[in-house]
Amino acid sequence: MKILKYVTITTAFFFITFSNAQSSIKVSLMEDAEAPIVSKHIYGHFAEHLGRCIYEGLYVGEENKLIPNTAGVRNDIIEALKELDIPNLRWPGGCFADTYHWKDGVGPKEDRPTMVNRWWGGTTEDNSFGTHNFLNLCEVLGAEPYLSANVGSGTVQELIDWVQYTNHDGISPMADWRRENGREEPWKVKYWGVGNETWGCGGNMTAEYYADIYRQYATFMPGWSGETEVYRIASGASEDDYHWTETLMKNVPHELMEAVALHDYAVFDWSDKGPSVNFDEEVYFKSMEQALKMEEYVTKHIEIMDKYDPEGNVDLLVDEWGGWYDAEEEVKNGVLFQQNTIRDVMIAGTVLNTFNNHARRVKMANLAQMVNVLQAVILTDEEKMIKTPTYHVMHMYKVHHDAKLVPSTIKENPQYRGLPVLSVSASKDETGKIHISLVNIDPEKDMPVEFDIAGLGIKNIKGQLLTSDKLQDHNSFDEPEKVTPKEFKGAKLKKDKISLTIPAHSLIVLQGEYK
Ligand code: AHR
């Protein structure tokens, strides 16, 4: 009798254990000779004259003796950004760009007029950080500048003059003025945005009207700068405004337009965006639901572009993206200032995987905004500076810069409240390394994963893990290292499989060597 009871209990135990065990999520990685290169420009950033992004953030002024700086830009920020190898930086906005008159920001500072920053708190902009400051900073960082030009309240002539000022190496009124202002050599700026959100803060235009305006501006932009070919970026759609993309692709001759933009923020309710730190599970779910829509938006905008441009001459640029929450109220001049948590790690990891996987058409993206604003990589408080969890994602993912995509397929992705839990992208670089980035958005469940890597000849796997106990965990000025990457030793390589368990709300980047 006793034996029978033992057998029954043991059987039941095994049954329960077995039936509760999560079977591995199967992911196959298959090399494809036709796969695109993941442009490093997908890892671009965005600096806007907004809140404490430029002033009291990046730029503390040439005369500042308290905070070590180079030409007024904080040295600690320069060092941190250099470690990210930031490929490009968009400036001066955003909505600010369509109120900005660049000529007010060059020449002796004491002669520069002020302006009112009408979109962002009505603060007085003294124009002390202007074109020279920005372009010289890009040089220091080794980043390509991306200038966002004023179409909403500017003129064609103003834009032509800016191109000539920054790029012309011969004798011309603008090039001569640049030399007078202390810069002999042109900066040779390639990336130019022709207006920003022209459907909204950039002029409330219809797609049809903007397409015509765009044609006019774009016509006069090339031809001023010798060998530097300008790359013209049309102000793009918001989220699922497919009509906008379709109109531009249809109405603008493709030889006038190198790229079309797209803006998409992870905002689930514009009138109540929720707190950046003290959010509950419901808000987390809604943020992730919104963040994962990037996959759908990018796919559908690309479908339209493929229809009008099957050769792929016009690129898609997601030049504003990120999580956007209610601003932290206690921060002085903290317009749109928000903290950054493990939720932001989940957003950044999944969105960047989407961009990598669509690298055939997505050639650039810009995370909004670099310092002290939305999904910032850096936060400052007077002399203090911290790196946010999103900074660490950008650092871990830089292995994908200009590497060749290795397409991945996830079989039967489990769901968290209807959302796919696992996100993956992979690439191989020219130094013989393969990298796999994976994100588990489930707030509570660890997920076993098995990669089928047949034919890739991978050896020596190692990895890094970014997570923390709670979704709300973040780095603060008192605890700046709470969320930082740790070594991950849990990946096992056996024959043609890599198996591991990715903890709940975690991001892992694996590195292997390939033959
Ligand atoms: O990133 C904040 C604002 O969001 C930008 O200025 C604008 O382009 C967008 O609406």
Side-chain angles (χ1 to χ4, degrees):
M1 195 58 189
K2 256 192 177 168
I3 289 175
L4 186 63
K5 200 171 163 193
Y6 173 78
V7 170
T8 315
I9 290 170
T10 317
T11 313
F13 172 76
F14 277 119
F15 178 73
I16 290 163
T17 311
F18 183 75
S19 59
N20 277 348
Q22 173 93 40
S23 57
S24 294
I25 309 172
K26 305 278 188 294
V27 183
S28 58
L29 299 181
M30 298 263 280
E31 256 190 296
D32 175 358
E34 302 298 309
I37 298 296
V38 175
S39 170
K40 65 178 180 180
H41 289 293
I42 285 176
Y43 293 84
H45 290 263
F46 173 32
E48 178 161 12
H49 288 239
L50 193 177
R52 295 189 304 117
C53 182
I54 304 291
Y55 306 111
E56 296 178 52
L58 196 62
Y59 178 73
V60 289
E62 289 83 345
E63 309 305 325
N64 194 310
K65 298 280 178 278
L66 292 175
I67 301 176
N69 65 83
T70 303
V73 178
R74 293 178 70 125
N75 289 347
D76 50 5
I77 295 190
I78 291 176
E79 285 318 306
L81 294 176
K82 276 189 174 170
E83 284 170 31
L84 288 185
D85 291 333
I86 74 166
N88 69 75
L89 184 54
R90 179 176 185 245
W91 176 83
C95 293
F96 178 78
D98 281 286
T99 60
Y100 182 65
H101 299 283
W102 71 269
K103 289 180 186 174
D104 294 345
V106 298
K109 295 212 183 198
E110 60 279 11
D111 298 341
R112 297 185 191 175
T114 59
M115 65 178 279
V116 174
N117 192 339
R118 76 179 294 269
W119 292 114
W120 306 121
T123 49
T124 302
E125 160 70 55
D126 68 2
N127 276 306
S128 56
F129 187 90
T131 298
H132 288 247
N133 307 73
F134 174 70
L135 295 178
N136 292 343
L137 169 64
C138 288
E139 278 187 344
V140 170
L141 295 174
E144 290 249 22
Y146 166 3
L147 291 174
S148 182
N150 182 348
V151 167
S153 68
T155 62
V156 177
Q157 187 61 50
E158 196 178 343
L159 175 50
I160 294 170
D161 285 350
W162 208 9
V163 175
Q164 207 185 107
Y165 187 91
T166 57
N167 288 3
H168 190 67
D169 51 10
I171 304 293
S172 82
M174 289 299 121
D176 292 348
W177 193 26
R178 179 190 73 230
R179 291 187 192 100
E180 224 174 88
N181 289 332
R183 172 77 186 200
E184 180 60 37
E185 295 301 318
W187 289 278
K188 299 190 183 287
V189 178
K190 176 176 175 188
Y191 296 105
W192 293 85
V194 183
N196 170 74
E197 297 194 352
T198 44
W199 41 262
C201 64
N204 277 314
M205 303 175 196
T206 62
E208 290 73 14
Y209 179 74
Y210 172 64
D212 284 348
I213 292 276
Y214 176 89
R215 292 164 65 126
Q216 184 190 357
Y217 273 76
T219 303
F220 296 99
M221 289 173 68
W224 307 104
S225 42
E227 288 165 8
T228 316
E229 269 314 309
V230 293
Y231 178 102
R232 295 155 297 184
I233 303 155
S235 159
S238 173
E239 301 182 351
D240 60 354
D241 184 355
Y242 303 117
H243 172 74
W244 189 274
T245 300
E246 177 132 30
T247 306
L248 290 181
M249 292 304 291
K250 208 163 49 177
N251 293 9
V252 177
H254 295 175
E255 59 276 15
L256 286 180
M257 177 170 73
E258 281 68 40
V260 171
L262 167 67
H263 287 184
D264 177 33
Y265 287 99
V267 180
F268 54 85
D269 180 351
W270 285 96
S271 58
D272 179 13
K273 302 185 200 75
S276 61
V277 175
N278 296 317
F279 55 88
D280 58 17
E281 198 262 335
E282 179 64 18
V283 166
Y284 170 70
F285 162 73
K286 288 199 274 187
S287 294
M288 291 317 299
E289 186 181 38
Q290 195 57 40
L292 295 182
K293 285 196 180 149
M294 183 68 88
E295 177 67 33
E296 175 191 325
Y297 298 154
V298 163
T299 304
K300 290 190 176 162
H301 284 288
I302 291 176
E303 267 167 32
I304 294 166
M305 296 178 79
D306 283 348
K307 181 169 135 202
Y308 291 95
D309 172 35
E311 300 82 23
N313 292 323
V314 182
D315 301 334
L316 180 63
L317 269 50
V318 189
D319 60 6
E320 283 186 32
W321 69 275
W324 187 338
Y325 322 113
D326 289 338
E328 303 281 326
E329 274 169 18
E330 69 277 15
V331 178
K332 199 169 137 262
N333 189 25
V335 184
L336 304 197
F337 176 90
Q338 63 187 41
Q339 251 295 358
N340 198 293
T341 66
I342 292 294
R343 169 176 57 177
D344 295 274
V345 171
M346 301 292 96
I347 293 174
T350 53
V351 168
L352 290 168
N353 281 343
T354 286
F355 295 158
N356 289 349
N357 290 331
H358 289 279
R360 177 177 64 85
R361 187 71 84 162
V362 178
K363 299 292 182 191
M364 186 189 281
N366 301 80
L367 177 60
Q369 278 99 349
M370 197 163 74
V371 182
N372 290 337
V373 188
L374 301 179
Q375 196 170 342
V377 289
I378 283 167
L379 302 179
T380 64
D381 180 14
E382 300 193 337
E383 75 291 353
K384 292 186 226 149
M385 183 214 85
I386 55 172
K387 297 170 178 171
T388 66
T390 302
Y391 176 95
H392 297 298
V393 178
M394 294 306 256
H395 195 263
M396 289 166 79
Y397 271 53
K398 75 176 183 175
V399 291
H400 292 303
H401 289 195
D402 284 342
K404 192 175 174 67
L405 185 76
V406 177
S408 50
T409 314
I410 304 175
K411 223 171 131 192
E412 290 167 24
N413 205 338
Q415 311 246 301
Y416 153 59
R417 297 178 63 179
L419 304 178
V421 295
L422 189 72
S423 155
V424 174
S425 72
S427 67
K428 51 191 282 193
D429 66 21
E430 283 180 346
T431 71
K433 304 264 187 337
I434 183 159
H435 295 99
I436 309 168
S437 41
L438 59 155
V439 186
N440 171 14
I441 67 156
D442 194 291
E444 280 168 6
K445 288 191 204 133
D446 301 349
M447 293 288 161
V449 182
E450 185 181 85
F451 289 96
D452 180 348
I453 49 164
L456 285 168
I458 299 180
K459 53 179 190 171
N460 298 339
I461 280 283
K462 58 182 187 177
Q464 280 200 308
L465 166 74
L466 187 61
T467 191
S468 194
D469 292 346
K470 291 192 267 147
L471 287 169
Q472 295 76 6
D473 284 350
H474 57 279
N475 295 334
S476 64
F477 295 100
D478 296 329
E479 209 179 349
E481 305 278 315
K482 184 162 180 77
V483 183
T484 47
K486 308 275 177 321
E487 192 180 357
F488 177 72
K489 291 186 175 164
K492 306 270 173 295
L493 181 62
K494 218 178 192 183
K495 284 198 183 151
D496 286 337
K497 311 268 187 232
I498 301 172
S499 50
L500 58 99
T501 294
I502 179 167
H505 59 261
S506 294
L507 177 150
I508 290 175
V509 176
L510 296 174
Q511 177 185 298
E513 290 164 25
Y514 65 88
K515 288 171 207 145

